[in-house]
Amino acid sequence: MSRYWLVTLFRKLALMVMALGIAPIALAQDAGAAPSVERIVNRANMVSYFQGRDGRARVAMTITDRQGRTRSRELTILRRDGPETDAIEGSAYRGEQKYYVYFRRPADVSQMTLLVWKHQDRDDDRWLYLPALDLVKRIAASDKRTSFVGSDFFYEDISGRSIDDDSHELIETTDNYYVVRNTPRRPGEVEFAYYDVYIHKQSFLPVRTEYVDDSGNLYRRYTALAVEKVQGYPTVTKARMENLRNGGTTELAYSGIDYDLGLPEDVFSERYLRRAPMEYLR
């Protein structure tokens, strides 16, 4: 992939978020100076995972291997936040969260459901319901950095990595991006040495993440391919994860995105793993 292509993609993404009319939220009070790395990371985490009180999206997933063979999956993701505010000052960038994932197609995964409870003070809880076996399986915390349903995304990519699991350093500021290097506090628990995140300066959306291993090799890359403003929230509507070791890629296309639905908390319980709440999964 050429550097020219990367520069062009970044410029396109910058133009997209500028065209959305997104206000420079955090920069106003900083009067032109770069915000602290903590403020950048907190704002990026809020924009990525905590916008709105809750949310819903349909996802079309396309998995492509190095021979060009493709597999598709369709699913719906529901999210409900613990924090009752979108204010950074109210710690909207952290807190308990619950995710419900319902698989629609193909037939071999249809009606499979995944439930995630994210915690701040301990490992997340994850359950997977396998309809063919009528079995609810508990997913071990050690599996969070393994493939999400055979794709190039990890379970942790879907629900987010805790900002407290890494130390953060602002290593570069460009015209459009803050570049933040994240180094794991417990390196023995992850496969990367560090990862760099390119965060758009106005929207605070992370548009690119690059993972580097202990040998200094870039081996995994996330790119936001399209951004739209939905109910006032800047939202990634298409994204890609590349596995640079095996040549595989996975693209996610989001549709039917809604925020602030008033999703009941009991939807995110084991009771609904076997009986999907279809009224909220349309």
Side-chain angles (χ1 to χ4, degrees):
M1 187 176 297
S2 70
R3 181 174 177 78
Y4 172 78
W5 185 91
L6 294 177
V7 171
T8 301
L9 174 62
F10 273 35
R11 285 177 176 167
K12 285 181 178 178
L13 286 167
L15 289 171
M16 273 194 286
V17 292
M18 290 174 67
L20 294 173
I22 298 165
I25 303 167
L27 296 184
Q29 69 182 55
D30 294 301
S36 68
V37 68
E38 290 79 12
R39 187 172 182 83
I40 295 170
V41 170
N42 293 345
R43 174 66 69 176
N45 204 56
M46 193 278 282
V47 171
S48 298
Y49 297 105
F50 286 90
Q51 292 190 125
R53 183 72 175 83
D54 57 27
R56 174 179 58 206
R58 293 192 68 151
V59 182
M61 174 187 290
T62 303
I63 306 167
T64 306
D65 67 16
R66 67 185 310 160
Q67 281 80 40
R69 297 171 296 193
T70 62
R71 292 175 290 146
S72 300
R73 305 207 185 291
E74 292 184 21
L75 51 135
T76 297
I77 298 178
L78 304 178
R79 168 183 59 86
R80 191 178 194 279
D81 296 346
E84 296 182 353
T85 174
D86 272 356
I88 289 294
E89 293 73 14
S91 298
Y93 53 87
R94 67 167 75 240
E96 303 281 310
Q97 272 187 319
K98 295 181 178 177
Y99 286 84
Y100 185 100
V101 182
Y102 178 76
F103 291 82
R104 298 176 176 277
R105 297 185 180 85
D108 62 332
V109 297
S110 177
Q111 301 181 45
M112 187 170 76
T113 53
L114 170 70
L115 178 64
V116 180
W117 290 2
K118 286 188 65 179
H119 304 296
Q120 293 299 306
D121 57 352
R122 63 186 190 279
D123 288 331
D124 298 344
D125 293 310
R126 290 179 170 83
W127 298 266
L128 184 67
Y129 172 60
L130 303 170
L133 303 174
D134 192 25
L135 172 70
V136 174
K137 175 185 176 184
R138 191 74 179 259
I139 300 176
S142 57
D143 290 338
K144 61 185 177 183
R145 294 199 63 78
T146 60
S147 170
F148 175 65
V149 293
S151 75
D152 297 289
F153 285 86
F154 292 163
Y155 284 95
E156 194 173 60
D157 298 322
I158 302 301
S159 54
R161 178 173 172 80
S162 171
I163 57 177
D164 296 327
D165 286 344
D166 304 312
S167 60
H168 313 285
E169 178 188 5
L170 180 61
I171 61 171
E172 185 180 3
T173 300
T174 71
D175 288 344
N176 294 312
Y177 301 100
Y178 300 116
V179 185
V180 175
R181 177 158 298 174
N182 305 272
T183 305
R185 298 186 188 279
R186 296 182 293 277
E189 296 182 2
V190 295
E191 83 289 353
F192 57 82
Y194 65 85
Y195 60 99
D196 294 339
V197 182
Y198 293 74
I199 299 170
H200 188 259
K201 292 172 73 173
Q202 289 191 310
S203 68
F204 285 86
L205 269 176
V207 299
R208 190 176 187 84
T209 304
E210 297 178 334
Y211 294 86
V212 176
D213 63 19
D214 290 333
S215 299
N217 297 317
L218 173 65
Y219 69 96
R220 193 164 182 264
R221 178 166 47 212
Y222 163 87
T223 307
L225 300 174
V227 177
E228 297 179 21
K229 202 167 186 178
V230 180
Q231 295 173 235
Y233 300 115
T235 304
V236 173
T237 55
K238 190 173 184 181
R240 177 174 58 214
M241 185 69 80
E242 299 168 85
N243 184 328
L244 303 179
R245 287 174 174 159
N246 66 17
T249 63
T250 297
E251 288 196 0
L252 304 180
Y254 298 86
S255 62
I257 301 170
D258 289 303
Y259 293 101
D260 299 317
L261 296 158
L263 297 173
E265 185 162 9
D266 67 346
V267 165
F268 300 85
S269 65
E270 285 191 67
R271 182 160 63 101
Y272 282 97
L273 284 171
R274 285 186 168 86
R275 185 169 62 87
M278 300 308 297
E279 63 270 36
Y280 300 109
L281 294 167
R282 64 171 178 77

